[in-house]
Amino acid sequence: MQNLQFITHYTEQYGYADAARLALEGGCRWIQLRMKDASPEEWMRTGAEVEALCRRYGATFILDDHVEWVDVLHADGVHLGKSDMPIDEARRLLGQDRIIGGTANTLEDVMLHAVRGADYIGCGPFRFTTTKEKLAPTLGLEGYRRILDGMKKKGISLPLIAIGGITKEDIPALMETGVDGIALSGTILRAGSPTEETRNILRILNVQQS
Ligand SMILES: Cc1ncc(COP(=O)(O)OP(=O)(O)O)c(N)n1
Ligand SMILES: Cc1ncsc1CCOP(=O)(O)O
Ligand SMILES: [Mg+2]
């Protein structure tokens, strides 16, 4: 599993597919297409575009929320939160070969996802972010330490990626907590060059993991 997931977000400067392309050009190989409030037509059009980009770069392509479009858009999987389809139901529909990620804010969330058959956990938010509305309580570094320690004690070894308001400067300390990777949107999209920023972030991540 990759240690950097880029999550699309619409900005004045970049559309969803442009954002994905910039992250891919910078070396990211795990893209989540997240388009809150997009119409089914936009999902089909942009989803096809991002799928083609991911294939060209050999990247993993997952959808936010929409289990029903994983097959249609030839996605590799889906990311599901608390108000989305339960992971065990998605697993029954998608089979063992698709990737299913689950959102967690507590150890209890992680335990439920583990029992229901998630492949990885998106755990956060690390800190406040404007990219998502209705945020769960922020975790900070201590929150990740606590959850990872609980997972160890329970014998849960699912990959856990940190998410929410993460900046480049946060990466060393976050990786020190033992998380397996990070998911980013704003930090990459706000950079002068999202492609160069992605490259720099991957460099920091890979130094941390070597
Ligand atoms: C990697 C990752 N982690 C968490 C989330 C949040 O998912 P969810 O709680 O369903 O919220 P929305 O993204 O659907 O607004 C995520 N998308 N990706
Ligand atoms: C989708 C999501 N879930 C929790 S925080 C978040 C947004 C992450 O984006 P950013 O890196 O811009 O804070
Ligand atoms: Mg969701």
Side-chain angles (χ1 to χ4, degrees):
M1 188 156 284
Q2 306 282 319
N3 55 15
L4 175 65
Q5 181 183 120
F6 173 71
I7 301 184
T8 63
H9 185 64
Y10 194 86
T11 65
E12 282 183 8
Q13 222 173 344
Y14 309 112
Y16 296 110
D18 281 340
R21 182 177 47 76
L22 293 168
L24 289 164
E25 284 171 356
C28 179
R29 293 295 175 261
W30 190 8
I31 304 291
Q32 178 184 151
L33 183 58
R34 181 174 183 268
M35 300 195 291
K36 291 299 172 192
D37 306 321
S39 66
E41 292 72 29
E42 185 169 12
W43 265 99
M44 290 309 115
R45 188 171 9 94
T46 309
E49 232 178 300
V50 175
E51 195 257 345
L53 282 167
C54 286
R55 297 303 159 238
R56 189 187 312 156
Y57 284 91
T60 299
F61 171 44
I62 65 164
L63 309 183
D64 180 41
D65 299 345
H66 290 284
V67 176
E68 74 281 17
W69 292 333
V70 167
D71 282 340
V72 188
L73 290 172
H74 310 292
D76 297 300
V78 66
H79 188 94
L80 300 171
K82 273 188 183 168
S83 53
D84 302 318
M85 182 186 288
I87 286 181
D88 47 359
E89 194 179 329
R91 179 65 71 202
R92 272 195 299 277
L93 293 170
L94 297 177
Q96 290 305 319
D97 294 342
R98 305 290 194 171
I99 299 165
I100 304 180
T103 303
N105 180 250
T106 63
L107 176 62
E108 289 66 35
D109 295 338
V110 174
M111 285 159 60
L112 190 62
H113 290 328
V115 168
R116 291 183 170 171
D119 293 302
Y120 77 92
I121 304 291
C123 191
F126 170 60
R127 72 156 66 81
F128 176 77
T129 176
T130 54
T131 308
K132 179 174 159 59
E133 291 172 4
K134 295 188 190 130
L135 280 183
T138 55
L139 293 174
L141 293 173
E142 196 40 48
Y144 289 100
R145 288 191 198 106
R146 199 179 55 242
I147 291 172
L148 288 162
D149 185 53
M151 287 171 68
K152 207 165 161 185
K153 287 185 176 134
K154 301 262 174 208
I156 299 171
S157 61
L158 277 180
L160 185 140
I161 65 167
I163 183 170
I166 299 171
T167 67
K168 204 164 51 181
E169 292 69 31
D170 295 321
I171 298 173
L174 262 172
M175 296 304 287
E176 286 277 311
T177 67
V179 301
D180 297 281
I182 57 172
L184 296 180
S185 187
T187 283
I188 288 178
L189 292 174
R190 281 190 301 267
S193 165
T195 297
E196 199 45 48
E197 188 75 350
T198 305
R199 260 189 218 114
N200 290 334
I201 287 165
L202 283 167
R203 235 174 259 135
I204 297 169
L205 277 169
N206 293 330
V207 166
Q208 289 293 313
Q209 291 209 316
S210 63

